[in-house]
Amino acid sequence: GENVEQHPSTLSVQEGDSAVIKCTYSDSASNYFPWYKQELGKRPQLIIDIRSNVGEKKDQRIAVTLNKTAKHFSLHITETQPEDSAVYFCAASSSGGSNYKLTFGKGTLLTVNP
Amino acid sequence: GAGVSQTPSNKVTEKGKYVELRCDPISGHTALYWYRQSLGQGPEFLIYFQGTGAADDSGLPNDRFFAVRPEGSVSTLKIQRTERGDSAVYLCASSLNLQGEGYTFGSGTRLTVV
């Protein structure tokens, strides 16, 4: 089955700096890669996603890049703010043409220091 | 409803007891998923329903775990003879279709087996 590795496990940055989180996946059939933000005790919330037919997607301060050849994808957050502090999870769909089954990385605890 | 609703939000049970966890998906969402999130980990897929049928139960850890969705809406995850290792947050998600459109998580049920 699919295996998703996520690095780093913790990341501390100063407010205004950029943060980058990287993930690799194993199943070349995976074609959907969402990123979730989870605050303590709350539900995971989708912040951005990318499908395998594009290499990059941007939404305001958040961007995701995908390299299908190398089987890795990254989350980029620019101009970080204290409210960006949370655990971020990457995921990959492991269900072929359907996207119902997500395999998650272990998460990155991002701390933005004011 | 406005979001995915899970009840109870917290459940404490004694080892060996039976528990039921309920998920009420977003109205109109045909697909429903259960995940388990242990402390410090990403969510792990358990089972997926398309309508009333369990289309993929490959993530259920053993035969003590069972889930139903008799009318294609509300789902119940049932755990028999609970063990301390079952302690985790059980997350439910729903989506509009197989492609994961509108994939939304509930807030989860925190299960503690003592």
Side-chain angles (χ1 to χ4, degrees), chain A residues 33 49-57 64-68:
Chain A
F33 308 92
D49 58 12
I50 191 168
R51 296 187 185 270
S52 59
N53 56 346
V54 299
E56 184 173 357
K57 183 176 178 181
V64 58
T65 58
L66 170 65
N67 183 327
K68 282 219 72 177

Side-chain angles (χ1 to χ4, degrees), chain A residues 36 38 43-44 51 89 97-102 104-106, chain B residues 33 35 37 41-43 48 56 58 98-99 103 105-107:
Chain A
Y36 285 84
Q38 188 175 33
R43 73 189 72 195
R51 296 187 185 270
F89 292 97
S98 302
N99 295 318
Y100 65 84
K101 184 176 179 180
L102 299 179
F104 285 82
K106 291 189 175 182
Chain B
Y33 321 84
Y35 287 79
Q37 186 173 24
Q41 302 292 315
Y48 151 67
D56 184 346
S58 61
L98 271 180
Q99 281 63 50
Y103 208 115
F105 280 91
S107 295

Side-chain angles (χ1 to χ4, degrees), chain B residues 4-42:
Chain B
V4 179
S5 176
Q6 290 189 246
T7 54
S9 55
N10 281 283
K11 176 72 177 177
V12 180
T13 192
E14 292 182 346
K15 179 175 177 294
K17 298 288 189 184
Y18 167 83
V19 296
E20 290 189 351
L21 312 179
R22 176 188 167 109
C23 173
D24 199 341
I26 291 173
S27 179
H29 279 196
T30 60
L32 184 147
Y33 321 84
W34 284 98
Y35 287 79
R36 178 168 71 173
Q37 186 173 24
S38 300
L39 193 63
Q41 302 292 315

Side-chain angles (χ1 to χ4, degrees), chain A residues 2 6-7 10-11 19 22 24 26 34 38 41 61 66 68 71 80 89 91 97 102 106 108 111-112:
Chain A
E2 176 66 279
Q6 182 172 347
H7 300 280
T10 61
L11 179 59
K22 299 182 179 182
T24 60
S26 61
Q38 188 175 33
R61 296 187 295 110
L66 170 65
K68 282 219 72 177
K71 294 205 282 258
T80 53
F89 292 97
L102 299 179
K106 291 189 175 182
T108 296
T111 304
V112 180

Side-chain angles (χ1 to χ4, degrees), chain A residues 13-26:
Chain A
V13 300
Q14 289 299 120
E15 182 176 359
D17 287 351
S18 295
V20 180
I21 303 170
K22 299 182 179 182
C23 290
T24 60
Y25 62 98
S26 61

Side-chain angles (χ1 to χ4, degrees), chain B residues 93-112:
Chain B
S94 70
S95 70
L96 192 59
N97 51 37
L98 271 180
Q99 281 63 50
E101 187 177 351
Y103 208 115
T104 304
F105 280 91
S107 295
T109 293
R110 179 175 298 280
L111 175 67
T112 304

